[in-house]
Amino acid sequence: MTRSIIHILPLELIIKIFMMLDYRSLLTCQQVCHLFNTLIAGSSPLQYALELAIAGKQDNPLSSFDFSHKLAALRQYQDAWGTLQWTNTKDIPMLRGNVWELYGGVLALSDLNRTIRFRRLPSQIREIEEHVWSVSTSDMDLRDLTIDPAQDLLVLIARPRRHRALDTRLETAVHLRSLTTGSRHPLAPDPSILRHSINEGVVELSFIVQVCEDRVAMHFISHEAAPSELVVWNWKTGRKELNLRSPNLKAISFLTNHYMLVGGFGDGDRFTEALLYVLDLTKCDGEPVTLEDVNYRCAFVYPPCFPWVTPLGFQIRADPMSPWVPPASSNVPFSVDRDLRLLVITMYVAFGQELVSFDLFVLSRALLSFVEGLGPENDRHDFSWKDWGPRNTRLMESPPHSPVWVCFVFGTKFASLVHGEFEANVHTLEVWDFNPNGIRRERCRGMVDEMEVEDDPIIEWHDHDFSLVHHVVFLENIQTSLPYRVVRRDLPLQKLGGRGFADVLCSEDNLILVDAFDRNMRLLTF
């Protein structure tokens, strides 16, 4: 009788072949025969590969931990976040400055003595030790900052000043420094300062600044009639790659290293129309151009609004920027999948005397699938709402989140703090997770639409329903159905007399409750 090749190959070789497969192929192989199922179920490396895909994580190949350790840590991590069972709490006093940032597991707070205190946030499960250090900014009048721990990059924005030669222009200096030492970054150009001048008529500016690999993007937001601007540099060469100027430029975010997502409003005569433009940075030359004239790759069109609706603004939040990996010195066993990110896009409008905001939840890979499906000749392609919106998004009136403490999203998670309707001191912490593989796995285990688990968190699934927006802002009713799961947990009562925690921030290993009135942060560590 002829033996199958499966029974001839050594088992170790079969496992090595399995290690080269993606997780979908592994799941298929488990259903082929009893031998394959036994091999995959009994292999820590293969089980770890499956758990990574289900959790929306990626392996850190530089970690010294073996696969058994990584697998145990990943399962503990998933269980803790899935039921909001943090391992430790710690109060952190807020400093007296007004500049802050949270990115890559590092919290930055400025002080009035021209220093920035950085705190690497801890994790018991991923075995990250807390570390605190300070950097002086005594040589500048600091206006804003951002960081990228993976590149040891600290980006400091000095307060704009009138140009020495052209008194009608505001000049902004962007300093590129080491996050750990505060000195000039070794990969930055010499001098390590990027400069940009804003045109006439601008008195007050605010900024959005982001880093994605070798690119730095700055959104100069004008609060007067003058148009806002978007500038993208290669921070390692100092070359300006994009210089966009438009009154309709409302929000920005990196979609990938070479695709920039820009939120704006069209100039429709019959109705108000919001759009998300995708710009290909490899096709931009750094010369000044308007949003109306730029050769954008494509645009995602929102549902139309009534003509009497006044567009006010956009906000796009996603963390981390893609692609992102932990610092080379990090020994963490795994990190968030850089290709699976949730974008929370908030649109602010007014009708009459009423202000209202709507949140659109969408995964980055859904937008990229449309962009990458276009042919090279299909620039300036508009995707209608019916093409991209109903199945790939959730659109709803904004759940509670702050316009100031905006780091409320990480990976596929969105965090919100809901205040008690009748008891002011009772707050409910909510974490919404839009990870599709995790939702499917939990459903396969027989989870019901709503259930209580130990220590009273409530878990709620929204994978077989839709959200309906019936509002006077939009011309038609809007249905969207992107699956997500909500975990809720009531927080303990806070002390009487204070206003208590009002907002929540989210990072890979922590939730941070913010009490801006008493200037206190409570760190919840997983």
Side-chain angles (χ1 to χ4, degrees), residues 193-413:
I193 301 177
L194 309 173
R195 299 185 186 275
H196 183 69
S197 295
I198 299 295
N199 285 333
E200 70 286 340
V202 177
V203 176
E204 183 66 24
L205 280 174
S206 57
F207 305 95
I208 299 293
V209 56
Q210 297 180 353
V211 176
C212 187
E213 289 191 321
D214 55 358
R215 290 187 167 101
V216 170
M218 277 195 65
H219 182 195
F220 298 81
I221 304 171
S222 168
H223 298 284
E224 291 93 23
S228 297
E229 296 192 28
L230 167 62
V231 180
V232 179
W233 292 274
N234 182 315
W235 67 267
K236 296 177 181 178
T237 66
R239 186 175 72 88
K240 190 177 291 185
E241 297 186 338
L242 176 66
N243 187 358
L244 193 64
R245 188 168 185 258
S246 173
N248 284 325
L249 177 58
K250 301 299 183 181
I252 68 155
S253 180
F254 281 104
L255 192 55
T256 67
N257 182 41
H258 66 277
Y259 284 134
M260 177 66 68
L261 192 64
V262 175
F265 294 93
D267 295 323
D269 296 329
R270 295 181 295 108
F271 46 78
T272 302
E273 192 172 61
L275 302 99
L276 298 172
Y277 298 90
V278 178
L279 309 183
D280 187 344
L281 297 175
T282 64
K283 297 182 178 180
C284 301
D285 57 12
E287 293 298 317
V289 64
T290 66
L291 183 58
E292 294 72 26
D293 295 331
V294 70
N295 191 29
Y296 61 86
R297 187 74 177 100
C298 64
F300 296 95
V301 183
Y302 265 62
C305 302
F306 281 104
W308 55 77
V309 172
T310 303
L312 299 178
F314 262 107
Q315 182 185 77
I316 305 175
R317 295 301 308 176
D319 193 4
M321 296 295 105
S322 177
W324 190 85
V325 294
S329 60
S330 173
N331 195 41
V332 294
F334 51 83
S335 61
V336 65
D337 186 345
R338 55 187 172 185
D339 296 322
L340 184 61
R341 299 181 304 133
L342 175 68
L343 287 88
V344 182
I345 305 170
T346 306
M347 180 179 73
Y348 301 92
V349 297
F351 61 98
Q353 300 298 313
E354 185 173 348
L355 305 179
V356 65
S357 64
F358 298 90
D359 281 351
L360 181 83
F361 299 85
V362 61
L363 294 173
S364 59
R365 65 172 52 169
L367 298 183
L368 282 172
S369 68
F370 286 96
V371 177
E372 294 170 348
L374 295 172
E377 72 286 350
N378 290 131
D379 284 345
R380 300 182 71 90
H381 180 86
D382 290 350
F383 291 104
S384 70
W385 170 255
K386 291 182 179 179
D387 289 336
W388 75 279
R391 294 184 60 187
N392 295 290
T393 72
R394 282 279 178 163
L395 180 68
M396 61 186 73
E397 284 196 60
S398 298
H401 61 74
S402 170
V404 176
W405 301 97
V406 293
C407 294
F408 44 72
V409 58
F410 187 91
T412 59
K413 295 182 177 70

Side-chain angles (χ1 to χ4, degrees), residues 17 102 120 185 197 236 268 301 309 342 388 443 474 487 498:
I17 295 172
L102 173 63
R120 184 177 65 199
H185 196 286
S197 295
K236 296 177 181 178
V301 183
V309 172
L342 175 68
W388 75 279
R443 281 303 208 179
F474 295 103
V487 184

Side-chain angles (χ1 to χ4, degrees), residues 60-81:
N60 178 15
L62 301 177
S63 172
S64 62
F65 299 122
D66 60 29
F67 284 110
S68 296
H69 185 103
K70 290 181 177 181
L71 177 60
L74 180 56
R75 285 174 170 168
Q76 183 184 2
Y77 181 93
Q78 286 295 94
D79 289 343
W81 275 99

